[in-house]
Amino acid sequence: MAETLTVTGDSKDERYRALLPQALALIDGETDVVACLANLTAALHATFPRLWTGFYLVKGEQLVLGPFQGPIACTRIPYGRGVCGAAWKENRTLLVPDVDAFPGHIACSSSARSEIVVPVRDTAGRVVAVLDIDADVPADFDEVDARHLEALVAPLAALF
């Protein structure tokens, strides 16, 4: 396993394409979900240094804080609440250009301005976790992020 990432590219798309095989190599053969989530979080946060990057795990009717990089975060999020809970409930990626305009947004950090939440599904298609990334600038996420982050979390299905 490499101790460093080599991610180059001028565009966001190029950096994601450079990151993806390296990030997947970090989790290849690892069976511990926390270890995999921790390395993916670190790789994403190092490549795209945003305000907060992390996972929440489904535990009953709540999302519970998992591995993350960034400031202290909300520990539990109820089903359907906030952007994370809504992405879980709707079983789809949510791009939020302005978190203050999102009904029921949970402000874990007053610095957050935009957010993307990507569901992590098990092999049966059930949401078992979400990848949550917050930025301190408005409209920092787009379909390029959504497409690549969905590809990044898809292999996690085998761990749940």
Side-chain angles (χ1 to χ4, degrees):
M1 178 180 76
E3 293 181 9
T4 60
L5 297 172
T6 304
V7 179
T8 58
D10 294 327
S11 73
K12 185 187 330 187
D13 185 62
E14 289 171 331
R15 292 194 327 260
Y16 272 118
R17 282 193 267 156
L19 172 64
L20 187 61
Q22 295 176 78
L24 296 179
L26 288 172
I27 65 171
D28 185 45
E30 178 55 59
T31 59
D32 186 90
V33 68
V34 172
C36 290
L37 299 181
N39 267 336
L40 288 180
T41 301
L44 278 168
H45 202 71
T47 304
F48 300 99
R50 295 201 166 106
L51 177 65
W52 197 90
T53 305
F55 288 91
Y56 282 92
L57 303 164
V58 172
K59 307 255 179 164
E61 290 299 309
Q62 296 181 334
L63 292 167
V64 178
L65 182 63
F68 72 93
Q69 301 273 315
I72 292 170
C74 299
T75 304
R76 295 177 183 273
I77 299 172
Y79 179 76
R81 297 272 321 272
V83 181
C84 290
W88 173 22
K89 181 179 180 180
E90 297 174 22
N91 194 0
R92 67 180 180 98
T93 298
L94 292 181
L95 291 162
V96 180
D98 178 1
V99 295
D100 292 329
F102 188 88
H105 174 254
I106 299 170
C108 294
S109 170
S110 60
S111 298
R113 294 289 170 256
S114 59
E115 186 170 1
I116 185 170
V117 180
V118 180
V120 177
R121 297 171 186 92
D122 64 13
T123 55
R126 292 179 299 255
V127 177
V128 292
V130 296
L131 169 61
D132 178 23
I133 306 176
D134 298 338
D136 57 4
V137 295
D140 200 33
F141 305 101
D142 57 25
E143 291 301 324
V144 171
D145 296 288
R147 182 176 71 253
H148 288 289
L149 293 171
E150 287 168 357
L152 184 74
V153 303
L156 295 172
L159 296 172
F160 289 94

